[in-house]
Amino acid sequence: ILTILGNSAVLATALRRSSLLKSPELLTVNLAVADIGMAISMYPLAIASAWNHAWLGGDASCVYYALMGFLFGVCSMMTLCAMAVIRFLVTNSSKSNSNKITKNTVCIVITVIWLYSLLWAILPLIGWGYYGPEPFGISCTIAWSKFHNSSNGFSFILSMFLLCTVLPALTIVACYLGIAWKVHKAYQEIQNIDRIPNAAKLEKKLTLMAVLISVGFLSSWTPYAAASFWSIFNSSDSLQPIVTLLPCLFAKSSTAYNPFIYYIFSKTFRHEIKQLQCCCGWQVRFSSTDNSAENPVSMMWSG
């Protein structure tokens, strides 16, 4: 419910501000699409299976569930990687060069992300890797337990781990470390002249927001990755069902965090949410007396 409501609010806000959206903001929209797609396509089936105390639908629904999870999971990861790279390019480029990141460029990046994610999702369907049930029996994913005695499965998981997890994660970390260093040097120069302009404060806030989004996603999926890799080299029976279930649930919760981060850090998003509440006929009491429109510079969220 939190995922669908929160990300629907993000999409509704983007639709209302479609003429004002900056090109990097399209990646934020794509991330919301991936999160809400995961929630709609997967969570109802998992909830129904939990109430049934067993997986529903047989092998076909298991493959469908695993494919959707892999597709949207890789898409989210690669979108976060693209956001980090674009944030790095914007931060370390002059204004004229940063403007070269057009909406067409970002749309091409988004298209490549979806094609890349779809490619990895269908590979197990054509014989490289496998899909199967989780050890606790009410969810499906990549069949990790088959990889310790299968060269085909092991090569797939190793390649997937490097190209869909390690490389994007290292890129994200490297980009944000580079941004942090750039911001740190800029603040040192600004402090030398005893003034900190609003643009520098905005840059710091945007960077912090982007970092929190990435940290939230990576920290949510790390326990699941650890439990999955344990099952590669050990029997799935070596872990209690609760030990494999909790990381899976924690990973699924990653789709609900981002709207809350936007709400905390973005005045524009808070203002649009209040407008949506008013349009829906909800009673809204503004806790702040500052109802003025934001400066156009502060409305830009560069990924």
Side-chain angles (χ1 to χ4, degrees), residues 42-113:
M42 298 172 58
Y43 296 173
L45 187 56
I47 293 170
S49 298
W51 282 103
N52 187 55
H53 293 253
W55 181 252
L56 294 175
D59 293 340
S61 64
C62 184
V63 171
Y64 159 79
Y65 184 94
L67 186 145
M68 291 294 104
F70 198 16
L71 171 65
F72 291 120
V74 174
C75 181
S76 297
M77 184 65 170
M78 300 312 296
T79 301
L80 291 172
C81 182
M83 289 167 62
V85 171
I86 290 180
R87 282 289 302 146
F88 179 80
L89 294 176
V90 169
T91 302
N92 289 274
S93 301
S94 63
K95 184 176 180 181
S96 59
N97 290 332
S98 63
N99 289 335
K100 292 181 180 179
I101 303 176
T102 63
K103 287 187 177 181
N104 288 336
T105 301
V106 176
C107 286
I108 293 173
V109 170
I110 291 174
T111 301
V112 171
I113 287 172

Side-chain angles (χ1 to χ4, degrees), residues 10-40:
V10 174
L11 296 179
T13 298
L15 183 62
R16 285 169 56 89
R17 298 183 58 248
S18 57
S19 61
L20 299 174
L21 285 179
K22 303 298 181 181
S23 52
E25 288 183 287
L26 296 177
L27 290 170
T28 308
V29 176
N30 191 57
L31 187 60
V33 170
D35 288 344
I36 202 171
M38 182 178 289
I40 293 175

Side-chain angles (χ1 to χ4, degrees), residues 23 41 80 92 151 159 195 208 222 235 237 252 289:
S23 52
S41 65
L80 291 172
N92 289 274
S151 59
S159 301
R195 66 184 185 88
L208 179 59
T222 297
S235 172
D237 297 333
K252 287 181 171 64
T289 58

Side-chain angles (χ1 to χ4, degrees), residues 110-270:
I110 291 174
T111 301
V112 171
I113 287 172
W114 280 102
L115 291 176
Y116 184 81
S117 304
L118 182 61
L119 173 64
W120 281 101
I122 65 175
L123 284 176
L125 301 181
I126 60 178
W128 194 29
Y130 311 95
Y131 287 134
E134 300 268 18
F136 49 86
I138 57 172
S139 179
C140 292
T141 184
I142 298 171
W144 307 98
S145 59
K146 292 184 179 181
F147 294 164
H148 66 279
N149 57 4
S150 169
S151 59
N152 177 33
F154 185 79
S155 63
F156 171 77
I157 190 58
L158 182 62
S159 301
M160 185 273 294
F161 178 68
L162 292 175
L163 298 177
C164 298
T165 304
V166 174
L167 186 59
L170 291 177
T171 301
I172 291 171
V173 172
C175 286
Y176 287 131
L177 286 177
I179 292 172
W181 176 252
K182 177 73 174 181
V183 172
H184 173 69
K185 296 297 290 184
Y187 263 69
Q188 282 187 330
E189 295 176 1
I190 291 170
Q191 289 171 354
N192 289 337
I193 57 176
D194 298 323
R195 66 184 185 88
I196 301 177
N198 290 333
K201 295 178 181 178
L202 176 63
E203 184 68 25
K204 183 178 180 180
K205 185 167 70 171
L206 293 177
T207 301
L208 179 59
M209 180 167 65
V211 168
L212 287 177
I213 293 170
S214 299
V215 168
F217 182 86
L218 294 175
S219 60
S220 297
W221 281 93
T222 297
Y224 180 76
S228 298
F229 266 81
W230 174 269
S231 65
I232 292 176
F233 303 102
N234 301 273
S235 172
S236 59
D237 297 333
S238 62
L239 294 177
Q240 294 295 323
I242 192 68
V243 177
T244 56
L245 173 61
L246 290 180
C248 184
L249 295 178
F250 192 46
K252 287 181 171 64
S253 70
S254 65
T255 59
Y257 299 154
N258 295 341
F260 292 99
I261 297 174
Y262 302 149
Y263 191 85
I264 293 172
F265 286 91
S266 174
K267 290 182 180 179
T268 301
F269 187 61
R270 288 198 299 271

